[in-house]
Amino acid sequence: MAGNGVIAFQGELGAYSHEAANRARPGMTPLPCATFEEVIDAVREGRAELAMLPVENSTYGRVADIHRLLPESGLHILDEHFLRVRIALMSLPGTKLEEIRHVRAHLVLLPQSARFLRTHGIAGHAAADSAGAAAELARMKTPGEGVLASELAASIYGLDVLARDIEDHGHNTTRFLVMGRAPDERRRGDRMMTTFVFEVRNIPAALYKAMGGFATNGVNMTKLESYMLDGSFTATQFYADIEGHPEDENVRLALDELRYFTSYLHILGTYPADPRRHE
């Protein structure tokens, strides 16, 4: 089948999404894409077998637009992967740390390394993409310049790592979803997760009543987020993660009750919980 063995991600080679793809699906061929939409299209069109998409970060919350794209994608969640974001300072071969006066990185990485940069008198400048900045430095060979990115980026573009794990806090983690064209509804672990989106019926206290079934049946809901549909202030869709499999009796009962109070319910996938979820 076309696309077998290929996993698509957003960003340049060496991006954290690339690292997540390597860790979650070692041996698959990475396919870099410019946008999340292109990642999804690559899978739908058969150029890739799987998509690796970031959905939330422990520091910055949910990834913009991703919850809107998932229900429309036609893809199914097969796995989740938690990636600890480790920031490395890299530069041209032979460069010493004390020679670095400027670094470039994606805007979200700069404040995470503020203490290190301040201590070493290094000015940070925003780049559209950290891995792309690494590729540009390798190409332009600008003296005295560094890049903040993953160690994978340094190895790909032939840069020297001058400092590792320079982030201010050691908890920064991004949650990724592995998605494919066909669902996998098998029970593949002791701890399963189920993700779905829904819209409540236009009746009083509909959301409160819809959520009641999860409480009374002892189903743990780990995430519930709302977002507007098509820019409307009256049409709201909800995105939820719960612990359990739809075939579990308590989950089945909770979903049955949810269906009664919703005008739309779509299960995006059921998949094993990443072990780091419960650390």
Side-chain angles (χ1 to χ4, degrees), residues 89 100-128 130 133 144-148 166:
L89 168 61
I100 301 297
R101 292 291 171 260
H102 304 273
V103 296
R104 299 178 66 234
H106 189 284
L107 184 61
V108 301
L109 294 189
L110 295 174
Q112 294 176 30
S113 308
R115 186 180 305 138
F116 178 92
L117 297 180
R118 187 168 56 249
T119 299
H120 291 84
I122 299 173
H125 304 279
S130 289
E145 182 175 293
V147 168
L148 304 184
I166 66 171

Side-chain angles (χ1 to χ4, degrees), residues 7-208:
I7 183 166
F9 66 93
Q10 187 275 326
E12 302 274 358
L13 290 172
Y16 288 102
S17 291
H18 181 192
E19 182 180 350
N22 282 357
R23 292 177 181 272
R25 291 295 191 274
M28 293 191 75
T29 301
L31 175 65
C33 299
T35 65
F36 294 136
E37 288 89 347
E38 288 183 24
V39 173
I40 291 168
D41 287 344
V43 178
R44 287 199 299 208
E45 295 167 4
R47 290 181 285 115
E49 181 181 355
L50 299 175
M52 174 63 77
L53 293 169
V55 288
E56 57 191 320
N57 176 270
S58 60
T59 301
Y60 290 95
R62 79 181 181 192
V63 176
D65 289 339
I66 200 68
H67 291 72
R68 174 183 60 80
L69 292 173
L70 294 187
E72 303 170 356
S73 70
L75 304 183
H76 303 269
I77 303 171
L78 304 177
D79 279 299
E80 66 176 359
H81 180 79
F82 285 58
L83 179 72
R84 167 80 163 75
V85 178
R86 299 184 181 277
I87 303 174
L89 168 61
M90 60 200 68
S91 190
L92 298 171
T95 304
K96 298 179 180 178
L97 177 58
E98 55 267 26
E99 297 172 356
I100 301 297
R101 292 291 171 260
H102 304 273
V103 296
R104 299 178 66 234
H106 189 284
L107 184 61
V108 301
L109 294 189
L110 295 174
Q112 294 176 30
S113 308
R115 186 180 305 138
F116 178 92
L117 297 180
R118 187 168 56 249
T119 299
H120 291 84
I122 299 173
H125 304 279
D129 177 86
S130 289
E136 184 177 341
L137 176 59
R139 185 173 63 253
M140 301 299 293
K141 296 181 168 41
T142 307
E145 182 175 293
V147 168
L148 304 184
S150 69
E151 287 196 53
L152 176 61
S155 66
I156 289 174
Y157 300 112
L159 301 177
D160 283 355
V161 175
L162 307 184
R164 293 174 170 82
D165 297 342
I166 66 171
E167 56 274 11
D168 292 348
H169 304 286
H171 58 72
N172 190 15
T173 300
T174 299
R175 178 186 177 220
F176 290 84
L177 297 177
V178 180
M179 305 189 72
R181 288 184 295 276
D184 186 347
E185 299 171 350
R186 297 172 299 154
R187 194 181 299 274
R188 292 174 284 142
D190 295 333
R191 292 176 179 264
M192 296 292 290
M193 301 292 298
T194 298
T195 295
F196 55 90
V197 292
F198 64 94
E199 297 171 39
V200 295
R201 294 168 56 195
N202 188 22
I203 57 177
L207 180 60
Y208 174 79

